[in-house]
Amino acid sequence: KELADSPYLQLALTLGLTAPILAILADEKDLENLFVNLSGNSSTGKSTALALAMSCWGKASVSDSKGSLIKSWSATENALFKSISSQGLHGFPVCRDECGANNIKHFNNFVYRFCSGSDKSRLNSDCLLQESQSFKTVMISSGEVRIQDLMKEHTLGSNVVRLTEFNNFPWTKDAEQSDRIKQFVSRNYGTFGKTFVTFLCQYDYDEFYEVWEDCTNDLKPRIKPYVKHFADRIASKLALFVTTFRFLITMLDVSWDDEKINEILIDSAKDKVDEINLAKKAYDIIMTFVAENASHFYTFSGSSYNIKNRIVQTCSATIWGKQNDNDVTITRTKVEQILLSNGFKNPKLVYMKLKESGALIAENDGNRNNYFNRRTVTNSVKIPVIVLKKNVSFDDTPDDRDNCAD
């Protein structure tokens, strides 16, 4: 009754049942583990959605962790990973609550390791290679912050594909509905997952594959305007949820609308737009700033910064850089002020994407992670600066790294 008119709660139940479908399809298809995070403000029903999802398999209490399948993020990276990999999970989900409480230094590495489905290769005391544990599962997480905001040095292409984040989605209508669901799952848990798996046993692989392929082909053109060249890979992951949903409603013999589930998943893809268009968005903001503050930049004609080519102009007392017909030179300090004030949390990531797009000119010192030049601006002292080409055209062609499966 509670789920009948709530596609968000229907999706929450689906998230808890997707791991078996993933495990079945992964036997033939090269599919990564799924990492799902429910993020956003408090009182949106995130914890209730977790409890509903995990109650399919066992006790799912957020407040009482003893014996609960909902665990805390409060542990070291290796401890968290070992708790997953040592069980050799295949078709059983894992759950962590409040990702903001994690102690992981490099969250990007954790996500990569989890989605790859195997632990690091290690040597035993005899210097022999230990057998690494593999697993195939779905991680369902929650927290007020997005996982991507926790990443200090993430590679854009990989994480846009690997992470599925539902940010500020209304999982429940109100506090009363949330309380009713929590009370129900606190007394009724641990049987529905088994019933679902038993139901799935009547189908063969080809039937699962056919539904998944149909869902993938349906989602791909619908999310492409938002995720561009990542559409194939993201659609194949989101299609796992729709596939699970279709088998779920067949088992329950209900008329829940899978199109509403599609719409929610497409909304999650729309949230990736700013991440995917990161370089273009940052470039436009910086170049607009330069145009609107031209008096703070010395201007030269032609392609050089020869003093003979400097154009006579009225300049401000504070100079932030210089520009000619081909490029703009801006002090590193000013660029980072511009980026941070416009909501870019990781300037280094912005520099990396600008360099990959060909917009950023860096000194060729053999360091591929170098994004700066050292040039004079107002006097003879060379300082770190960002040099951007003018009139750069950003296309949708991915680089080789974004196009590979990592």
Side-chain angles (χ1 to χ4, degrees), residues 38 69 80 117 128 140 149 162 167 203 216 233 236-237 249 256 299 318 338 350 356 372 379 391 394 401-402:
L38 318 184
L69 294 176
L80 282 168
L128 298 175
I140 310 173
D149 292 340
R162 290 195 175 100
N167 189 41
Y203 297 94
T216 301
R233 294 170 62 190
S236 68
K237 291 180 179 290
I249 61 177
W256 297 349
T299 304
T318 304
I338 296 169
V350 175
E356 289 176 359
F372 311 112
N379 51 45
N391 303 316
F394 291 82
R401 178 176 57 192
D402 289 343

Side-chain angles (χ1 to χ4, degrees), residues 32-36 111-112 115-116 155 157-164 233 237 405-406:
E32 290 185 320
N33 291 325
L34 299 179
F35 198 121
V36 180
V111 173
Y112 176 82
C115 291
S116 67
T155 54
S158 299
N159 289 326
V160 164
V161 174
R162 290 195 175 100
L163 289 172
T164 300
R233 294 170 62 190
K237 291 180 179 290
D406 294 309

Side-chain angles (χ1 to χ4, degrees), residues 236-247:
S236 68
K237 291 180 179 290
L238 298 181
L240 289 165
F241 303 125
V242 188
T243 300
T244 303
F245 183 80
R246 289 188 181 182
F247 281 99

Side-chain angles (χ1 to χ4, degrees), residues 16 101 104 143 163 175 204 241 248-249 302 339 361:
I104 300 175
L163 289 172
D204 59 31
F241 303 125
L248 172 62
I249 61 177
L339 293 175
I361 304 171

